[in-house]
Amino acid sequence: MNLRVVDHPVAEATALRNPGFPLDLDWVERVRMNRSALERRAATIGTRRTVKKDWQAAWLLKAITLIDLTTLNSDDTAGRVERLCAKARHPVRADILEGLGVADLHIQPGAVCVYHSFVSTAVHALEGTDIPVAAVSTAFPHGLAPLETRLREIELSVADGAKEIDIVINRHQVLTGDWQGLYDEVKAMRRACGDAHLKTILGTGDLATLNQVGKASIVCMLAGADFIKTSTGKEKVNATLPVSLAMIRMIRWFAEETGIEIGYKPAGGISSAKTALDYMALMKEELGTHWLQPHLFRFGASSLLTDIERQLEHNLTGHYAADYRQPMV
């Protein structure tokens, strides 16, 4: 493969957006995943890597900046989205930040993620901040609407002010090995995004094997994805550490071959501070501290912020607060 677009090291390519590359089916067919080895490796993350006291508080503050604060419920309302945006403006109580001595750090989440219908509501509620709005477009969560419909939804979300678009791939294209079809659709979606960044949701819980996960990851990155993301949060199985490890290694391989850094977003079921720290440790070990930045790593989560705030208060006071002291919406 000769896909390199820059001559300088990958570490210096941060600002380069993925331009997309021709579909290389030889590369796709070379993907091989050893499930047992990945599971053994993933199982060591939480046991070998722990952070305590002030170091833990620092990691948790960093974790907040990596959250796509999300509401994707069938009963969402404009009021709920506005309250979520208010929380995004002030994700941690002021007294906790002051007590930790970090009130001047301007901690904020990576984005607020909503359905297309609420993009304009979120954009208005976040005016005066630099918090981007992410829209789940393309017939989320199933992704089975006609391609023209999905592309139009992307265009409308961008027109309403979305800076990031989380799209859903057609899982059947992966399951049947229709790599050309998957590539063509993701490429068309990337084109519809314009300047908005594209996150491709693989729906890994539906893809049967880690080989399929790895191949889908490579195809989406070749098609121009800025991020690859595990799940919609609606599957029976969402983000897991072994699946994350498989996708992260595809990101590393892609960077080695092209010089382009792709972001990673685990989503679904990440609701505790400890789990978030495990994912951050995995990213640090596999890709380096450099990847622990909002433009390269996000959590798709909502209740995660509540637990992080509780942990930060415990770090400060030695006591765990009730959930209602850190309300979300």
Side-chain angles (χ1 to χ4, degrees):
M1 291 166 287
N2 183 23
L3 301 180
R4 182 167 292 278
V5 296
V6 291
D7 295 326
H8 45 71
V10 171
E12 299 177 8
T14 305
L16 292 179
R17 188 177 180 191
N18 183 9
F21 300 89
L23 177 61
D24 185 340
L25 292 176
D26 289 338
W27 190 355
V28 176
E29 293 307 317
R30 286 169 56 197
V31 173
R32 295 290 185 273
M33 293 292 176
N34 184 327
R35 176 178 286 275
S36 61
L38 290 172
E39 288 176 344
R40 287 196 303 271
R41 168 76 175 90
T44 68
I45 297 298
T47 57
R48 290 188 302 103
R49 298 293 182 184
T50 59
V51 287
K52 301 294 185 182
K53 299 183 179 179
D54 289 349
W55 288 105
Q56 183 183 80
W59 275 62
L60 292 177
L61 289 168
K62 165 62 77 172
I64 293 172
T65 71
L66 305 174
I67 294 175
D68 279 1
L69 202 55
T70 302
T71 182
L72 297 172
N73 302 305
S74 58
D75 60 349
D76 280 345
T77 63
R80 173 179 287 171
V81 170
E82 288 168 348
R83 291 192 295 274
L84 188 72
C85 292
K87 184 63 175 178
R89 284 175 172 271
H90 305 286
V92 181
R93 292 198 336 259
D95 62 299
I96 296 176
L97 294 176
E98 290 170 2
L100 294 172
V102 295
D104 60 339
L105 289 186
H106 189 53
I107 301 294
Q108 65 181 37
V112 169
C113 185
V114 296
Y115 279 114
H116 162 72
S117 301
F118 298 106
V119 169
S120 58
T121 300
V123 169
H124 179 73
L126 292 171
E127 283 182 358
T129 77
D130 57 357
I131 303 171
V133 173
V136 290
S137 301
T138 67
F140 180 93
H142 53 77
L144 293 176
L147 179 60
E148 294 78 8
T149 301
R150 288 177 281 150
L151 294 177
R152 183 58 178 153
E153 187 176 4
I154 291 173
E155 292 167 351
L156 291 171
S157 292
V158 172
D160 280 353
K163 301 299 183 184
E164 301 174 2
I165 302 293
D166 289 33
I167 64 99
V168 188
I169 69 168
N170 270 327
R171 284 75 144 184
H172 69 81
Q173 291 172 325
V174 178
L175 296 172
T176 61
D178 181 12
W179 304 119
Q180 187 68 57
L182 175 61
Y183 175 86
D184 290 343
E185 287 200 356
V186 174
K187 188 174 181 179
M189 292 174 189
R190 162 63 194 276
R191 188 164 49 246
C193 284
D195 292 335
H197 279 225
L198 174 67
K199 305 194 198 89
T200 55
I201 306 171
L202 304 187
T204 53
D206 295 336
L207 298 188
T209 70
L210 290 180
N211 277 342
Q212 299 283 58
V213 170
K215 291 177 179 182
S217 298
I218 290 293
V219 172
C220 288
M221 290 187 287
L222 287 171
D226 297 295
F227 267 73
I228 52 175
K229 175 180 172 182
T230 58
S231 322
T232 64
K234 309 296 185 181
E235 293 88 21
K236 290 182 180 178
V237 178
N238 294 290
T240 68
L241 286 173
V243 163
S244 294
L245 184 55
M247 295 174 69
I248 288 167
R249 288 187 173 173
M250 293 300 96
I251 289 173
R252 185 170 66 196
W253 191 10
F254 190 81
E256 289 169 350
E257 293 292 337
T258 68
I260 297 297
E261 300 173 346
I262 303 299
Y264 178 62
K265 180 178 175 180
I270 303 173
S271 58
S272 73
K274 182 183 184 306
T275 302
L277 292 176
D278 287 345
Y279 278 94
M280 292 171 70
L282 181 64
M283 291 296 291
K284 182 178 185 296
E285 290 191 2
E286 290 290 323
L287 294 174
T289 305
H290 166 68
W291 240 273
L292 290 175
Q293 304 295 332
H295 70 287
L296 288 173
F297 182 59
R298 301 281 183 84
F299 295 108
S302 51
S303 56
L304 172 60
L305 179 57
T306 297
D307 193 52
I308 289 177
E309 196 172 7
R310 291 181 70 238
Q311 295 295 332
L312 290 172
E313 184 165 3
H314 178 267
N315 179 276
L316 180 64
T317 68
H319 302 286
Y320 284 108
D323 286 353
Y324 68 81
R325 285 181 57 82
Q326 289 91 19
M328 281 295 296
V329 296

